[in-house]
Amino acid sequence: RLLTADAAEIDAGQRSVRLQGTVEYLDPDLHLRGKGGAFDGGGTGSFDGAEFSLLDRSVRGSARHVKLREESILDLQGVRYTACPPGNEDWQLKAGSIAIDQKTSIGTGRDVRLEFKGVPILYTPWISFPVGDQRKSGLLFPTIGSSGKSGSELAVPWYWNIAPNYDAT
């Protein structure tokens, strides 16, 4: 793991550090670059203007503000996320805020929009989703179709996770 900054101000009495200028964090799974940040002795911290890449999943995005709170909760404000390669942002997921609880492996998004080439195609004021390899019961993406025999059709599939704690290994 590597953490760099243009400048750092350490307060040994408060067990805190304030990072100034360009801040970069790198580990085997995550590359994060921000415009300053702070960490305290209680394990909480924050970054401003963060851009991130999840290296093992080939996804990237940005957040206006990132806050690490409590032991395992990550709060993101002004989020943009895509799996498109750099230089191509045809598909984007945007959210006003996302909270990820790493202990429960559940994320919660508010004011979430899915956009294709800048055009919103799906909006939800609130969504809950699994993080990582976890599965969760819930609605899947709808499908829309039509036929001459039955007319217009809308299907909203439901996924039922009947074995939430099952491990096949």
Side-chain angles (χ1 to χ4, degrees):
R1 293 187 173 127
L2 176 67
L3 177 65
T4 63
D6 291 339
E9 186 178 307
I10 300 170
D11 184 336
Q14 296 291 321
R15 297 181 42 95
S16 66
V17 62
R18 179 168 304 284
L19 306 169
Q20 298 167 345
T22 301
V23 176
E24 198 160 357
Y25 172 80
L26 181 65
D27 71 23
D29 301 319
L30 174 69
H31 180 212
L32 184 124
R33 186 180 179 102
K35 299 175 186 167
F39 292 93
D40 67 27
T44 63
S46 64
F47 287 100
D48 291 320
E51 294 182 2
F52 60 87
S53 297
L54 301 176
L55 304 174
D56 63 337
R57 296 184 186 212
S58 299
V59 297
R60 61 193 172 82
S62 65
R64 186 176 61 252
H65 185 75
V66 177
K67 183 177 182 183
L68 308 165
R69 65 178 169 94
E70 299 175 17
E71 290 181 12
S72 65
I73 298 177
L74 180 65
D75 288 324
L76 305 158
Q77 300 293 321
V79 182
R80 182 186 55 80
Y81 175 88
T82 185
C84 294
N88 178 348
E89 296 186 356
D90 289 347
W91 289 97
Q92 283 192 45
L93 183 71
K94 294 182 176 180
S97 67
I98 293 179
I100 298 173
D101 187 330
Q102 297 173 53
K103 272 188 185 172
T104 63
S105 296
I106 296 293
T108 304
R110 298 197 185 279
D111 189 26
V112 179
R113 297 170 310 283
L114 177 62
E115 295 182 358
F116 178 66
K117 295 196 177 218
V119 177
I121 59 172
L122 179 69
Y123 171 81
T124 182
W126 181 88
I127 191 168
S128 176
F129 53 91
V131 176
D133 295 333
Q134 298 288 8
R135 293 181 179 205
K136 181 179 178 192
S137 296
L139 295 172
L140 301 174
F141 281 103
T143 57
I144 300 172
S146 65
S147 71
K149 196 171 193 178
S150 63
S152 298
E153 297 176 346
L154 172 66
V156 184
W158 174 266
Y159 173 76
W160 182 25
N161 190 16
I162 59 174
N165 295 320
Y166 177 73
D167 185 5
T169 56

